[in-house]
Amino acid sequence: MADAALPGSPAAISGEPRRDAAPGEVLRTADGRPLKAALARSSRRARLRAFLLVAPLLAFVLVTFAIPIGQMLYRSVHNVQFAANMPELVAWFAENPQGAEIDESAFAALASDLRTGAAERRIGTVATRINYEVPGTRSLFTGTARRAATLEAPYREALLEINADWGRPDLWQAMRGASSRHTANFYLAAVDRKRDIDGSIVQVQERQRVYVQLFWRTLLLSLVITTLTLILGFPVAHLLATLPLRTANLLMILVLLPFWTSLLVRTTSWIVLLQNQGVVNSTLVSMGILSDDGRLNMMYNQLGTIIAMTHILLPFMILPLYSVMKTIPPSYVRAARSLGASSWTAFRRIYLPQTVPGIGAGAILVFILSVGYYITPALVGGASGQLISNQIAFHMLNSLNWSLAAALAGILLASILILYWLYDRLIGIDNMKFG
């Protein structure tokens, strides 16, 4: 019998199929296993090895990226500052639906919770939570809690005697909303909305409408910065791609040089250059172009934010453009010129379309980075140059309203994902290349 695999032979060890199988017979390996099952097992082993290789990176991404984002989104709808510290009033809200009369039992529950919260030093947390909804009420809670031990029935008259604000319908509506551990009120606040005394959604007062304006300003300034980096970076990238290698490498060092300098140093350098008594204004005054009283206001406004961020983000536009332009053969444009096309026509119809992947990559990169920038607008932006990221940082570090900060960040994340989806539908992510 020809070619039959003997036990211990190389064919048996390697698992090669038998060559003497009859037509229609199931193919088997030398050790008798079905060939299909052996191949499937080998494929599973290969996939397992591949998974084990990427498992550390996957775990790192989950721990440092996916889980924090999930916690942030959960924090935007979850807040227990009031619900965990005012149990009797929360129980009253659960038993009495929206629109029920605020009777003596409600004030009795409030008085009991204030008394307990003051004794256990938890009333400050409750006051902070309601102050998010109704500004100026923190002192109402803390001041009443100090006298809660002396409260006696009837509690309605006793609390109103301490402060008449306890009868405000908007205050009770805020406490009803805060009595739930999960709420969408922080997302309403993030878009300048709130719930009225009857539970309907209305706009806040005009002087309190800040977040929608900040979102639009952030998107507009990010678009302006992206456009400026494209205008400035396109010719630089083209020059790097067409110059001799030695000269191009020298210029590339100059492009990468900002990465070797601290972001804080680069930002403060622009303050020195652009402030009213800075280098630029002083030079223009000394040259007679400006008078001493007509110095340009280029700092602590939107102009300062645009200038500084354009400089900082310019390399992120140049590098993707350069990596794509380097792969475009110069012979294409020469061929178009030899066929009678003008320089502009050859650039517009031959060269520019081939750079679209680099333009898309650079634009997406710069836009997303500029939307989330914090340090530069905080230092050079002033009141009119602040972005939504600065408000998120304020609520995280100063007001400690982490739920509102998470809601603002969640809306910003959703906006970026929508723009990313629109880019994919209009241009196509497959056409984007980083090199």
Side-chain angles (χ1 to χ4, degrees):
M1 219 164 110
D3 298 336
L6 299 175
S9 65
I13 295 174
S14 63
E16 293 182 1
R18 291 170 50 193
R19 302 179 184 276
D20 57 346
E25 183 183 353
V26 177
L27 293 177
R28 296 179 179 275
T29 60
D31 56 1
R33 290 179 300 159
L35 179 60
K36 184 177 181 180
L39 291 175
R41 182 180 180 185
S42 177
S43 178
R44 285 196 301 270
R45 287 180 175 178
R47 288 196 297 268
L48 179 60
R49 284 195 297 268
F51 175 77
L52 292 177
L53 287 174
V54 301
L57 177 60
L58 179 61
F60 177 80
V61 171
L62 287 175
V63 172
T64 64
F65 184 74
I67 293 177
I69 288 180
Q71 290 178 333
M72 176 201 72
L73 295 177
Y74 184 66
R75 166 75 74 168
S76 66
V77 296
H78 179 257
N79 193 297
V80 297
Q81 288 177 290
F82 186 91
N85 297 304
M86 302 287 280
E88 295 193 28
L89 190 56
V90 169
W92 186 90
F93 283 127
E95 297 172 359
N96 295 268
Q98 178 75 38
E101 180 185 358
I102 309 301
D103 55 15
E104 175 64 18
S105 62
F107 282 93
L110 174 62
S112 176
D113 285 334
L114 288 174
R115 190 181 298 113
T116 304
E120 298 179 0
R121 300 182 182 277
R122 294 185 280 108
I123 204 64
T125 301
V126 175
T128 300
R129 172 65 180 90
I130 300 302
N131 196 67
Y132 296 155
E133 307 279 346
V134 187
T137 55
R138 179 179 174 82
S139 58
L140 172 65
F141 278 85
T142 54
T144 306
R146 286 192 292 267
R147 303 172 58 180
T150 62
L151 289 174
E152 296 180 354
Y155 293 105
R156 180 188 182 95
E157 286 75 7
L159 287 168
L160 292 177
E161 183 179 353
I162 293 176
N163 197 315
D165 284 345
W166 286 116
R168 291 172 53 181
D170 60 333
L171 175 61
W172 283 91
Q173 176 60 38
M175 289 192 292
R176 178 180 289 277
S179 65
S180 174
R181 293 174 179 268
H182 297 88
T183 177
N185 287 351
F186 292 106
Y187 278 100
L188 293 179
V191 292
D192 298 332
R193 299 291 191 276
K194 67 176 183 178
R195 294 192 181 276
D196 205 350
I197 56 175
D198 58 355
S200 58
I201 299 175
V202 297
Q203 274 192 320
V204 299
Q205 297 180 9
E206 186 173 357
R207 60 185 176 84
Q208 297 176 333
R209 301 173 191 171
V210 295
Y211 299 120
V212 172
Q213 179 184 358
L214 275 177
F215 275 117
W216 283 115
R217 181 192 297 171
T218 300
L219 294 177
L220 178 61
L221 290 185
S222 299
L223 183 60
V224 170
I225 292 167
T226 301
T227 304
L228 289 176
T229 55
L230 176 60
I231 294 173
L232 297 174
F234 196 95
V236 175
H238 177 68
L239 188 64
L240 289 171
T242 55
L243 283 176
L245 184 60
R246 183 174 182 179
T247 307
N249 288 339
L250 179 61
L251 293 180
M252 181 60 72
I253 293 176
L254 299 179
V255 172
L256 297 176
L257 190 60
F259 288 121
W260 304 339
T261 309
S262 168
L263 174 62
L264 186 62
V265 172
R266 284 181 281 165
T267 303
T268 52
S269 299
W270 279 110
I271 298 177
V272 174
L273 290 171
L274 299 179
Q275 61 184 330
N276 284 345
Q277 301 297 325
V279 176
V280 175
N281 271 307
S282 298
T283 301
L284 294 176
V285 169
S286 64
M287 295 173 61
I289 298 176
L290 296 177
S291 63
D292 193 56
D293 296 332
R295 291 173 179 263
L296 299 176
N297 186 18
M298 297 182 290
M299 189 50 53
Y300 307 119
N301 51 28
Q302 292 185 18
L303 180 60
T305 299
I306 292 172
I307 293 175
M309 289 183 62
T310 299
H311 166 256
I312 290 170
L313 296 176
L314 187 58
F316 294 99
M317 178 65 75
I318 294 176
L319 295 177
L321 284 172
Y322 166 74
S323 65
V324 172
M325 291 178 177
K326 192 66 177 176
T327 63
I328 300 175
S331 58
Y332 289 179
V333 175
R334 290 198 299 265
R337 293 292 305 278
S338 67
L339 293 174
S342 63
S343 298
W344 167 245
T345 302
F347 170 78
R348 179 174 56 87
R349 299 188 62 180
I350 304 299
Y351 191 80
L352 184 61
Q354 297 182 79
T355 65
V356 168
I359 294 175
I364 285 288
L365 189 60
V366 171
F367 186 84
I368 291 177
L369 288 174
S370 58
V371 162
Y373 243 64
Y374 162 68
I375 294 178
T376 302
L379 293 178
V380 304
S384 64
Q386 298 285 300
L387 304 182
I388 194 65
S389 56
N390 300 107
Q391 276 297 314
I392 294 174
F394 170 78
H395 287 302
M396 289 292 293
L397 302 175
N398 297 98
S399 72
L400 301 181
N401 191 351
W402 291 359
S403 294
L404 180 55
L408 291 170
I411 293 176
L412 186 62
L413 175 62
S415 302
I416 296 301
L417 292 177
I418 291 173
L419 291 174
Y420 190 81
W421 175 79
L422 288 175
Y423 178 89
D424 183 34
R425 294 297 300 270
L426 297 176
I427 299 178
I429 298 301
D430 294 339
N431 294 326
M432 183 176 66
K433 297 180 181 178
F434 287 93

